Amino acid sequence: MKVEQWALLVPKKKGEVTRQHLIANGLLDASLKPFVEGDDIFFPLTGCCEAGLRASFEAHEKQFSAVARHELIGGIAVMQESDCAAAEALLVSRPGIHTVLATTSDIQGEYRTREFEVLAGDPTTRTLVLEYGHRFTIDLSEAYFSPRLATERQRVLHQMGGEETVLDMFAGVGPFAITMSTSAQFVVSSDINPAAVILMKENCLDNRCTNVMPVLADSGRLSRILPWKFDRVVMNLPIDAPKFLEEAFRLCRPGGTIHCYALVSSVGEYLGKIETFQPSAVREHTVRSYSPGKWHTVYDITVRK
Ligand code: SAM
């Protein structure tokens, strides 16, 4: 049985030193087996770290059967099944977990949140997530957050030229905006969910981001309230973002870049719609799978000069 987890990739010759260091710092996920590929070794981590990536690991037989399947988000483990005994076992088996939840709804509504039942540990849906040197306080029942987008946030960050102006139209608690702020002149970070914007403000303070402006607004109206045109626009609302393309094109400067996320069931599904805005280039990139036959994709669009 394979399990996807955060991984640290190091040269084989540094394997033992790294293993000892990870164990000493409580960072090695002992339920999974490290594996070798070429001259490198992949170690499973208990959470995301600066140089982390995602990889699939074999579970140790004994531990796997004892520990229920879950997704780790900061100090919260999210299980699909409402199994209190399994949740208690999970809580004691993994240091760093303070709460075990079960999902009781799909991601729903305009705010893209889920409902949960507390199975074990502290009765809270709030936790701290560490991601590539940033700290995000999140509340899973109040505002959307997914650690699975960490790699995508880094991909976008590494495309930035430095000193860019950025607009995050669907910012949630601010993970894209705060990640991108390190390479930006300033970032406008907007969301329609008041609880998300309150957490976003806390996260800006916690990460000492003085160049991020949190905004509570419907992104369909942003061009009426913002006086700027931006170098880069992020549209991370996969369920609906293509509907806001016209607004994004209004807000992006000629030659700027729009990252439009979409939920698709075929390659190129939204290319026709994007072409109506006559961009100078469009590249499609798969972000992750969503359900059988559906996946999250991102269109990196260059606006015509
Ligand atoms: N970018 C964030 C992240 O990666 O964690 C959040 C992405 S979440 C999929 C989409 C966000 O869009 C939600 O926080 C939701 O509240 C917000 N949203 C939905 N409709 C909106 C609208 N019309 N205007 C502004 N924000 C909206």
Side-chain angles (χ1 to χ4, degrees):
M1 186 81 183
K2 290 225 167 184
V3 177
E4 193 176 291
Q5 178 57 292
W6 287 104
L8 183 66
L9 171 66
V10 293
K12 258 195 305 198
K13 57 181 185 238
K14 291 194 175 160
E16 189 48 29
V17 177
T18 306
R19 195 177 73 84
Q20 295 295 344
H21 174 78
L22 293 175
I23 291 171
N25 289 283
L27 296 171
L28 187 70
D29 186 337
S31 66
L32 302 175
K33 295 180 188 170
F35 67 89
V36 170
E37 217 174 74
D39 290 333
D40 297 318
I41 181 159
F42 288 73
F43 286 105
L45 303 179
T46 50
C48 177
C49 81
E50 190 82 21
L53 61 148
R54 304 284 289 179
S56 286
F57 292 91
E58 285 287 343
H60 286 294
E61 292 298 321
K62 230 171 102 200
Q63 275 141 332
F64 186 78
S65 57
V67 175
R69 289 198 72 174
H70 62 277
E71 181 181 15
L72 199 56
I73 309 179
I76 294 180
V78 180
M79 290 172 42
Q80 296 302 320
E81 297 84 31
S82 174
D83 181 339
C84 290
E88 289 293 347
L90 184 53
L91 194 64
V92 291
S93 75
R94 298 198 74 160
I97 294 181
H98 57 75
T99 301
V100 183
L101 304 174
T103 49
T104 56
S105 79
D106 287 334
I107 295 180
Q108 61 192 7
E110 194 171 39
Y111 298 168
R112 311 308 298 141
T113 48
R114 279 186 293 181
E115 288 169 6
F116 298 92
E117 170 192 7
V118 178
L119 298 179
D122 301 339
T124 183
T125 49
R126 191 177 166 111
T127 191
L128 177 69
V129 174
L130 303 180
E131 185 181 293
Y132 289 94
H134 287 118
R135 298 159 57 83
F136 302 129
T137 296
I138 64 165
D139 190 324
L140 292 170
S141 61
E142 299 250 308
Y144 177 93
F145 180 82
S146 172
R148 296 184 194 182
L149 293 172
T151 311
E152 176 58 18
R153 293 190 253 278
Q154 293 298 310
R155 187 190 75 87
V156 172
L157 173 67
H158 290 119
Q159 284 186 19
M160 291 177 68
E163 293 304 293
E164 291 187 1
T165 57
V166 175
L167 170 63
D168 187 349
M169 291 174 77
F170 307 101
V173 303
F176 269 96
I178 290 169
T179 299
M180 295 170 80
S181 71
T182 54
S183 198
Q185 192 186 336
F186 76 93
V187 183
V188 173
S189 180
S190 178
D191 203 280
I192 202 168
N193 175 357
V197 177
I198 289 169
L199 286 163
M200 187 199 297
K201 280 179 68 182
E202 281 180 32
N203 289 329
C204 288
L205 284 173
D206 201 14
N207 291 281
R208 297 195 177 87
C209 290
T210 50
N211 60 345
V212 177
M213 184 170 103
V215 172
L216 175 63
D218 179 340
S219 283
R221 304 170 68 85
L222 281 177
S223 66
R224 294 181 226 177
I225 56 175
L226 297 177
W228 307 292
K229 288 207 181 264
F230 295 84
D231 296 317
R232 196 172 292 271
V233 176
V234 178
M235 307 175 72
N236 180 28
L237 177 63
I239 203 91
D240 255 352
K243 287 190 192 152
F244 293 82
L245 269 171
E246 196 172 344
E247 190 67 354
F249 271 86
R250 271 191 214 112
L251 288 156
C252 193
R253 69 155 172 85
T257 305
I258 298 172
H259 303 281
C260 180
Y261 293 82
L263 187 57
V264 298
S265 41
S266 62
V267 175
E269 195 167 316
Y270 286 101
L271 277 180
K273 181 170 174 88
I274 294 167
E275 292 297 343
T276 62
F277 298 98
Q278 303 184 320
S280 59
V282 185
R283 263 182 315 158
E284 186 170 353
H285 166 82
T286 300
V287 180
R288 64 187 178 100
S289 63
Y290 181 77
S291 58
K294 287 206 167 196
W295 62 94
H296 279 168
T297 206
V298 55
Y299 296 96
D300 294 340
I301 305 165
T302 310
V303 176
R304 187 171 293 280
K305 282 193 180 158

